[in-house]
Structures are given as C-alpha cells and as structure tokens.
Amino acid sequence: MTQLLGRVSPEEEEQFYAGTEAAGLRAAWMGRRLERKPQVVPFAWRWNDAQPLVLRSGDIVTPDRDVERRVLRLANPGLDHGTTHTISAALQLLLPGENAPAHRHTPTAIRWVLQGTGAYTTVEGDKCYMEPGDLVLTPSWTWHDHNNEGDVPMIWLDGLDTPLVNNLEATFYEQFPEDQQPIVGVGESERKYASGALRPAWEDNNTPYSPLWHYKWERSHAALQSLAETDCSPFDDVAMEFSDPATGGPVLRTMACWIQMIRPGINTKAHRHTTSAVYQVFRGKGHSVINGQRFDWGEGDFLVVPSWSWHEHANDSDEEAILFSIQDIPVMKALSLYREEPYAENAGHQPITSVFEG
Ligand code: GTQ
Ligand code: FE2
C-alpha cells in the first residue's frame, strides 16, 4: 500500500521511526550528511619534551614477550587511536643488550632512526644496522626483530598503517618461535638494490614489496643536495620520495616516505590535498602554517598535517632544514581519491590567525 506524502499523522511518523530503530534500520535522511568533519587535528610534539620521557620509559618496562615493544605513540588529540586517521607514529627505545622479539604482522611499518648507533633490525633474515637518518622498511607480513649490540640507547620513529588496517579489519599477527630470527645476510638489501638505477640483471622481483628496505642517510642526503642544485617544488621545496627500485613507485602499498630540504629563506606556497602526513624535523628549524595556525619547529620535533588542510613551510634561518615524512598518498591514489588544490589568494600564503603553543 502506498501512502501519499504528508498523509501520516505526527504520531504515525514517530511510530515509523521507532519501527525502523527496532528493525535495525536507520532512515538515511535523518542525522549527518555524507560530508564528514575531519577528526585529525594539526598538532606538534616537541623533542625536548618527548626525548626525556622516551629515555625514562627504559626504567618502566623492558621489551620481551610481555611488552612486545617499548613505544610511546604520538597521539593525535582528535583521535582515539593514531597520529592521523591512517598512520600511527611512535617513539621506540632499545637499550644496550636488549632484544625486541621477532614477529610479523599485516600492518606495514617503517623505522626512521633518530638517535644512537650499534643496533640493528633484522628484516626477513637481513641484518640492517641502523644509524640516524636511515630509513628501514618492514613491509606487511615480513619478519622483524630489533637488537642493540652497542653501548648507547637507540631511539627511532616507528610509522605504521595500523589505523587503516584495523579499520579494514585485516590485522593479523604472528610471533616467531625464537626471540631472534636466523641471520641470512648483513646489509644485503642495501648492497644489492640501493643503487637505484642499476639492479641485479638476473633477478625478477617477485615480492609484493620493495626489495630494498634499508635507505642509508648518506645516499638520501647526497640525493637531496644534488636535487637542490637543479629543481624544486613551489609547495614542498626540495622534496624527494623514497622509491621502490623495482617499480619506481612508493616504497610501500599504504605509505609513502619523503625526505625534503627547505632551503634557507624559502617560504613555500600553501596547498591542500586529501592525504595526511606525519613530519619529523631531522635537521634545522623553521615554521609551518596549517589552516592559519603557525607551528614553529626545531630539530627533532614532530608535526601532523591532516588531510585537506592548507599548509606551507618556511625556513627563516640561514641553515638547511631537513624534514622526513610519512604520507598516506599511495592509499588515496590507489583508490582514485587523491585531490589537490593550490591556495589562490594572497600570493599563496595564508594569513596567520593563531600560534600553536605545545
Ligand atoms: O617495532 O615491530 O611502534 O610491531 C608498533 C608495533 C613498533 C615493531 C610499533 C610494532 C613495532
Ligand atoms: Fe612489529
């Protein structure tokens, strides 16, 4: 039976809604629209605040089978979990002699090394010694364990796609039977694949991830220096994406990693895009403006740029500023959801309406 619009009484209408609730149905015309408000907020964490707490965490817990990893997460105040809605970044401490036991999981991880020397991550049997400025990948479902053979504390930034993979309900995890996986080689991935343009001729890459998983700081820095002499982006200055030498594409399916130099005196133009990012200030100082809010940053600090937020970076000092970042670009591009827009007014610069106070 059809009824003409407006022929129901207010009581009948109320009954209708109560009926839908009881049947587990929700009238789509009620409540929120298709467009959702973002929850991720622009935010910064100070190295000077975080580092003492990371070191202190060494007195609180020890990595073993009970506490898998000793990590302090960069918690976005707008979220229950995660640094952005797709990326979880955390600071991990590994003290001399310690082992973080071998395991694997479907969320993908990266390590960006901040402090110390003498520790290594083993990825699929390859022992990768970590030094500041190194990027080490542990793609989805690859075995990894961390060990500190040296005599100083090691601190690195972990970047994982756990918020995304959890939401996709595809999180799986497995422990390796021993604390350490067997060593097959030392720095093999680096030696075989880091030349980029030249690769072993007899091999086809048959892994679903980059055969290179250790990007050494010296190579990254040299690449930045030579690009700086040649070209730059108006929005990101001298920005480089770490690439998979087998495809030329992003290093991971879900996360892109960037290393970029904001040269002295540069004030980039603002733009926005549908991707979010977590930045670490590896060297130097400067500031960013995100949705009109000014974030001053110095060496070691961390910064979140949410999706679709206007942002620009500036280096007002007379030394190079070097930023590392993790970005969810590959996800958005794979799903054809990538959008980008330049800030048209005011020669590309946002008016500053507030200043972030950590
Ligand atoms: O080092 O393997 O921050 O499995 C979170 C989960 C680090 C790791 C994290 C992990 C790891
Ligand atoms: Fe892990």
Side-chain angles (χ1 to χ4, degrees):
M1 277 222 304
T2 31
Q3 225 177 358
L4 287 176
L5 202 64
R7 295 222 15 219
V8 295
S9 66
E11 295 76 47
E12 286 172 314
E13 191 178 321
E14 211 168 286
Q15 264 176 20
F16 167 79
Y17 287 118
T20 57
E21 273 306 315
L25 301 169
R26 187 146 310 148
W29 57 88
M30 301 294 286
R32 74 176 177 222
R33 299 281 184 94
L34 213 51
E35 220 170 279
R36 291 211 336 155
K37 268 216 152 78
Q39 296 178 293
V40 183
V41 296
F43 203 74
W45 294 260
R46 304 283 168 223
W47 180 242
N48 288 343
D49 298 331
Q51 191 216 28
L53 290 165
V54 171
L55 291 172
R56 186 66 175 150
S57 73
D59 301 323
I60 312 290
V61 290
T62 304
D64 55 28
R65 292 280 158 182
D66 296 325
V67 180
E68 282 276 310
R69 298 295 189 255
R70 186 198 282 123
V71 296
L72 296 179
R73 296 202 193 111
L74 304 181
N76 191 292
L79 297 172
D80 293 332
H81 174 86
T83 312
T84 82
H85 58 308
T86 54
I87 301 162
S88 173
L91 295 165
Q92 184 161 169
L93 171 72
L94 197 68
L95 295 174
E98 285 183 339
N99 155 262
H103 67 195
R104 63 180 177 177
H105 34 75
T106 51
T108 287
I110 67 101
R111 329 278 157 205
W112 171 248
V113 185
L114 303 179
Q115 177 184 322
T117 184
Y120 63 91
T121 292
T122 310
V123 183
E124 293 286 302
D126 188 24
K127 198 170 173 179
C128 303
Y129 280 97
M130 300 189 282
E131 285 162 310
D134 286 7
L135 171 67
V136 182
L137 312 177
T138 55
S140 183
W141 211 237
T142 52
W143 293 111
H144 55 281
D145 54 278
H146 318 302
N147 301 276
N148 191 342
E149 281 181 346
D151 46 25
V152 292
M154 285 287 301
I155 303 176
W156 62 82
L157 179 73
D158 290 315
L160 291 99
D161 57 10
T162 41
L164 176 71
V165 178
N166 283 338
N167 271 304
L168 295 173
E169 303 197 343
T171 301
F172 293 84
Y173 164 89
E174 192 181 355
Q175 261 187 9
F176 195 76
E178 329 281 334
D179 284 345
Q180 292 169 316
Q181 62 183 298
I183 306 291
V184 178
V186 180
E188 285 215 342
S189 159
E190 217 282 315
R191 275 180 289 129
K192 283 175 78 171
Y193 304 110
S195 312
L198 288 168
R199 38 166 286 182
W202 68 95
E203 277 190 3
D204 279 329
N205 180 46
N206 51 14
T207 54
Y209 48 80
S210 170
L212 178 61
W213 48 65
H214 193 177
Y215 298 74
K216 299 292 294 175
W217 168 245
E218 291 71 34
R219 288 183 193 269
S220 308
H221 196 211
L224 267 185
Q225 302 284 358
S226 65
L227 182 59
E229 289 165 14
T230 313
D231 208 357
C232 66
S233 146
F235 304 109
D236 292 297
D237 204 30
V238 186
M240 302 191 94
E241 182 187 352
F242 290 91
S243 73
D244 173 342
T247 64
V251 284
L252 298 159
R253 295 291 197 263
T254 50
M255 294 182 285
C257 297
W258 284 24
I259 187 81
Q260 80 192 82
M261 185 196 296
I262 313 291
R263 292 166 298 166
I266 293 290
N267 194 340
T268 68
K269 288 182 186 242
H271 70 163
R272 61 180 178 180
H273 35 65
T274 50
T275 56
S276 64
V278 181
Y279 286 85
Q280 196 260 344
V281 182
F282 188 64
R283 296 261 191 277
K285 56 181 188 289
H287 74 265
S288 301
V289 184
I290 309 174
N291 284 343
Q293 189 175 17
R294 179 178 165 132
F295 289 77
D296 288 284
W297 38 256
E299 202 159 296
D301 293 350
F302 307 92
L303 184 72
V304 162
V305 177
S307 175
W308 211 239
S309 57
W310 296 114
H311 58 280
E312 61 194 270
H313 309 296
N315 179 353
D316 14 48
S317 79
D318 49 18
E319 274 163 43
E320 292 170 358
I322 294 181
L323 307 177
F324 169 79
S325 61
I326 310 163
Q327 322 221 10
D328 55 13
I329 300 170
V331 179
M332 302 312 278
K333 289 201 169 163
L335 301 176
S336 300
L337 293 171
Y338 186 80
R339 277 177 192 231
E340 192 175 354
E341 190 186 350
Y343 189 82
E345 290 95 64
N346 201 24
H349 299 293
Q350 309 159 73
I352 292 172
T353 52
S354 67
V355 177
F356 178 81
E357 318 279 358

